[in-house]
Structure formats: C-alpha cells, structure tokens
Amino acid sequence: MKSIQRRLSLGLVSVMVIVGVVLAQTSLWLFEAGLQRYLEAGLRNDAENLLVALVRGPNGVQLDEHRLSPAYQRPFSGHYFRIDFADTHWRSRSLWDQELPRLSEAGLKGNLQLGPEGQQLLVLRSDYKRFGHSISISVAQDYTPVRESFRMMRRIGLVLGLAALLLVLALQRITVRRALRPLETARNQIAQLQQGQRSQLDTQVPLELEPLVAQINHLLAHTEDSLKRSRNALGNLGHALKTPLAVLLSAASSEALKDRPELSQLLRDQLEHVQQRLNRELNRARLAGETLPGALFDCEQELPGLLATLNMIHGEHLDLSYRTPPGLHLPWDREDLLELLGNLLDNACKWADAEVRLTISETHTHYLLAVEDDGPGIPEAQRNQVLSRGARLDEQVDGHGLGLGIVRDIVEVWGGVLQLQQSEWGGLKALIELPKRHA
C-alpha cells in the first residue's frame, strides 16, 4: 500500500494540474474573446471611416484616398479593406496583388482567414446603404502577432505553473511530514515496545491519535494483567501438585510395594513422566509472556556471567568462549534467553572434552545462535529423531535430555528453527535461527 504522504502528493498534483489547466485555458479564452471584441470595435470604426471616404465625383461615386489611413498604403502592412459597390469594388494597396477573402454575410468572422504572406486575418464585414445603393465594406487586421503573443504567454505560464507546482509540492511535503511526525513517533514507540525499551505509548499525542494510543495502552495493560494472572495461577497449580507427586513417588518406593516390584516401577515411571511433563508445560506457559515487551538481552553484559557460572559448575578444565558482534542486543526477554542459552551450554559442558564455544551473529533477516562442543556428539541418523515433535527427548539420547526439549519449545514460540549438526571439533553443534522482529 502506498504511503499517506505519497497519496497526498499524487492527489494534490492531480488536483492542481486539472484546476490549473482549466483556469489557464478559461483565462486565455476569456482574454482572447475580450481582445477580439476590442479589435472588432476598431475594425468597425475603420469600416465607418471607409464609408465616409466614399464621395461623389465627376464620374460617380469614388474613393477619396486622402482620407485613408497610411496603413492601407503600405504593402502587407496587416491592415486591409475591400469595398463592393454595385458593379465596382475597391481594395487597399496593402493587399498588393492579392484579394481579401469576401465573407458571405455581415459580422465578424469567428475563424481566422488566410491572408497575404500567410498572415492570419481577423475579418469584419459591414453592410451599409449610401447614395441609394448597398455598400459592403470588409476590413481585416493581421492577427498573427496576437497569436504569437498568446503562444509566448502559454509558454511563460507553463514555466511559471511548473515552478509554482514544484514550490507547492515542496511546501506540501514539509507540511505533511510535520503533520505525520506523530505517526512516525508512534511507530518508533511501537518498535520500542517490541524490543522491550518501553511498556506503554506516550499519551501526549495529537487529538486524532488519542483514541488509538489509549486503546493500545489499554490492550497492553489488559494483556499484561491477564498473563500475570495466568502465570500466577499456573505457578500455584504447579506448587500444589508437586507435594502430592512427591508423596506418591515416595509411596511407590515404599516397603508396602516391595513385593510388587513391577507395579512399583510402573508407578515411579508414570509419576516421573507426569512430573517432567508438568515442568515442561509450566515453562511453556511462562513463555506466553514473550508477546509483551521485556528487558533486552545485552550479550556483552550477560554472557560473561553466564559462562563464569557454568565454569564453576563443570570445572575450570573446560575452555568456554563466546563470539558476538560489539554492542549486540537480542530483542527477546532476558530470562528466556538465559534459560535457552543456559540449557544449550549446560548440555555442551556435560559432554565436552575441553572446549565449548557460543557464537551469536546476525544477518539482514535473522539472528544465528550456535553452541559447539568437542564431545562425542549425536549420530546423524538420530538427530532428526531427537527433535521430532512429541518425542521424549530425555529417553532417546543420554545427556541431551529435558533441557534440549525446553530449548526447542522456546525456539518454536519465537518462530525460529533449531538444528543439530556436527561441530568443527567433531562434537555436537546446536544451531538456532531466529527471525528479526519488524516494527
């Protein structure tokens, strides 16, 4: 979908072009019509002067050339006349050897007539009664200079119109940017919500955005409250079930079932399965809070402490190292990432001979988390089986147990992919690909 600013710009350009063209054409038409009426009045005055120049002479009616305008004497001057009287007609010397187009009826000819030297003529015919006879006088004026002036006006108007359009677009772009700045601010704040840098949107917004911001803040508060209640309820349920499960496990191992070893083993297996499933589901329920912003995971700040703790647990004979880009912050909840990386690194430390390495990198679309060790690894034929949905990981591969299942659950909730590969040292490499969040 096009941006609001682009749509406003296109709409403004379209409206301005249409209105500008209509106004320009209308103005030119009105101006030309007014000019033609003005010229028509001048031509009518010229026709009356020619009528006065017709006098009686010794040989009848004749044209007194002393009363004619000098413009009618110069060849192709742009001013012409033709007088038709009975069987006689006179024409101006300015026509030279050409004839003036004769109109079929009196009045101003709307269409321009082609005259001498390719001139476009505005022709007016007037009919009179004089000396008892009908007299038709046609006068014409070269309209070519006027047409050239109109063309120049159109070109100048076009240039000025384009300049004005560009100026208006620039001012409109500045105005729209300033008007849409609160939307950009809101978009950045929503991105900060996703990255855990804020918990609500600012309420100091324009009047048009107040209902939207209020609704988003209300939804955030309501969702956070619902998740807190859900987490507390599940936590209370988990604590309430742990004690009965511990009692049942103790009862399954009691002397009362000593004579029934098969039943005792069956009870212990099923109760342990329930306990493990309960722990996993409680962990999954806690991950529902990922939809709300939490504290960002600062790699440079968190990883040294995490690796130091694992060194204390597994002994300092292991070489634990990490590689991350400087200043990298992962946009997920800190506690969830500590649990994810802690489980992967703990599994690697259990089976590593001497080296464990964590590598975190990013591409344009994903974050890549890789944990490698130099231990025995997992045979390639069993890796897909280990990660199959619904499988009990703790029973399939010794050492890579429930922790790997929790990691898989976290990665799935985040929309990522977990792969098990062979590390460059021959051990196991757990590679996680997490999609970047977009505002």
Side-chain angles (χ1 to χ4, degrees):
M1 183 178 291
K2 295 180 180 178
S3 68
I4 296 177
Q5 180 171 328
R6 184 175 299 177
R7 293 171 67 182
L8 288 175
S9 298
L10 291 176
L12 179 63
V13 169
S14 302
V15 171
M16 289 191 64
V17 168
I18 293 173
V19 173
V21 169
V22 171
L23 287 177
Q25 291 298 324
T26 303
S27 300
L28 288 174
W29 177 79
L30 291 174
F31 182 75
E32 186 172 11
L35 181 61
Q36 285 191 5
R37 285 195 297 271
Y38 173 77
L39 295 177
E40 179 184 0
L43 291 174
R44 202 171 295 277
N45 184 61
D46 291 342
E48 292 175 355
N49 291 333
L50 289 171
L51 180 63
V52 173
L54 290 175
V55 297
R56 288 184 181 274
N59 300 320
V61 177
Q62 62 185 24
L63 181 65
D64 186 1
E65 295 188 359
H66 295 92
R67 298 185 181 185
L68 298 180
S69 170
Y72 292 131
Q73 308 295 329
R74 296 194 307 270
F76 310 127
S77 64
H79 293 271
Y80 312 102
F81 71 81
R82 174 191 175 102
I83 301 175
D84 293 287
F85 175 76
D87 296 331
T88 307
H89 79 271
W90 295 272
R91 60 187 181 89
S92 63
R93 292 182 181 180
S94 57
L95 284 169
W96 202 245
D97 59 350
Q98 298 191 32
E99 291 289 339
L100 182 67
R102 186 176 182 182
L103 303 183
S104 59
E105 57 185 15
L108 183 71
K109 182 65 175 178
N111 296 327
L112 299 178
Q113 304 297 307
L114 186 63
E117 299 292 311
Q119 296 175 351
Q120 292 180 309
L121 302 180
L122 190 65
V123 183
L124 172 71
R125 173 181 169 178
S126 301
D127 294 335
Y128 302 97
K129 282 284 188 177
R130 190 171 175 81
F131 306 124
H133 296 276
S134 296
I135 299 175
S136 176
I137 301 176
S138 297
V139 289
Q141 181 174 340
D142 184 12
Y143 201 70
T144 305
V146 178
R147 277 294 173 93
E148 292 297 328
S149 298
F150 273 114
R151 291 193 184 97
M152 183 174 294
M153 287 175 60
R154 285 194 181 95
R155 289 194 291 268
I156 295 175
L158 179 61
V159 173
L160 293 177
L162 289 176
L165 179 62
L166 293 176
L167 178 60
V168 170
L169 283 178
L171 294 176
Q172 180 258 1
R173 188 175 184 86
I174 295 173
T175 304
V176 170
R177 278 189 174 180
R178 294 184 63 182
L180 296 181
R181 193 172 297 164
L183 289 177
E184 181 66 19
T185 301
R187 188 189 72 84
N188 292 332
Q189 290 181 6
I190 291 174
Q192 292 171 1
L193 281 174
Q194 282 191 305
Q195 296 174 358
Q197 297 175 2
R198 61 169 55 239
S199 58
Q200 282 194 328
L201 300 180
D202 290 340
T203 56
Q204 299 299 320
V205 294
L207 184 63
E208 293 80 3
L209 293 181
E210 284 183 359
L212 175 63
V213 171
Q215 193 67 23
I216 291 176
N217 286 338
H218 175 74
L219 179 62
L220 288 170
H222 176 73
T223 305
E224 185 175 12
D225 184 60
S226 299
L227 287 173
K228 284 181 179 178
R229 289 199 302 268
S230 177
R231 285 181 173 183
N232 291 336
L234 287 171
N236 294 336
L237 177 63
H239 287 295
L241 292 177
K242 282 182 179 180
T243 299
L245 281 174
V247 172
L248 291 173
L249 282 171
S250 177
S253 303
S254 65
E255 293 294 330
L257 294 178
K258 187 175 181 179
D259 296 334
R260 305 283 299 276
E262 294 181 357
L263 178 59
S264 176
Q265 184 63 40
L266 177 62
L267 288 174
R268 285 197 303 272
D269 290 345
Q270 294 302 314
L271 289 172
E272 287 174 358
H273 175 68
V274 171
Q275 191 174 40
Q276 291 175 355
R277 185 59 182 243
L278 177 63
N279 290 335
R280 290 189 63 185
E281 292 305 319
L282 288 175
N283 278 307
R284 288 178 66 91
R286 186 177 62 79
L287 291 176
E290 194 273 337
T291 56
L292 285 176
L296 290 179
F297 187 86
D298 186 342
C299 296
E300 293 181 346
Q301 181 178 346
E302 303 290 349
L303 291 180
L306 177 61
L307 267 61
T309 301
L310 290 169
N311 257 328
M312 292 175 59
I313 295 173
H314 295 283
E316 297 185 357
H317 68 282
L318 287 178
D319 179 17
L320 273 69
S321 62
Y322 73 91
R323 295 187 299 190
T324 63
L328 179 63
H329 290 73
L330 298 179
W332 285 278
D333 185 79
R334 172 182 176 273
E335 299 299 325
D336 293 339
L337 273 168
L338 284 175
E339 181 173 4
L340 182 147
L341 295 176
N343 278 305
L344 286 178
L345 290 169
D346 184 59
N347 275 335
C349 290
K350 286 178 182 178
W351 290 94
D353 292 332
E355 290 190 78
V356 174
R357 182 174 64 203
L358 167 64
T359 304
I360 301 178
S361 59
E362 64 175 322
T363 66
H364 291 297
T365 57
H366 290 83
Y367 292 100
L368 302 177
L369 288 67
V371 175
E372 304 175 76
D373 63 66
D374 60 351
I378 297 177
E380 184 176 358
Q382 298 182 22
R383 291 174 194 162
N384 291 333
Q385 183 183 3
V386 165
L387 295 178
S388 62
R389 179 174 294 275
R392 291 186 58 191
L393 303 177
D394 54 317
E395 293 182 359
Q396 290 175 343
V397 180
D398 293 337
H400 298 280
L402 186 62
L404 194 56
I406 294 173
V407 169
R408 185 192 66 184
D409 293 339
I410 295 174
V411 172
E412 287 179 354
V413 169
W414 289 347
V417 177
L418 170 63
Q419 300 177 11
L420 299 181
Q421 303 173 357
Q422 184 176 359
S423 74
E424 63 180 49
W425 299 316
L428 182 67
K429 176 181 179 180
L431 176 63
I432 296 175
E433 186 174 330
L434 297 173
K436 284 187 174 180
R437 298 173 175 181
H438 297 284

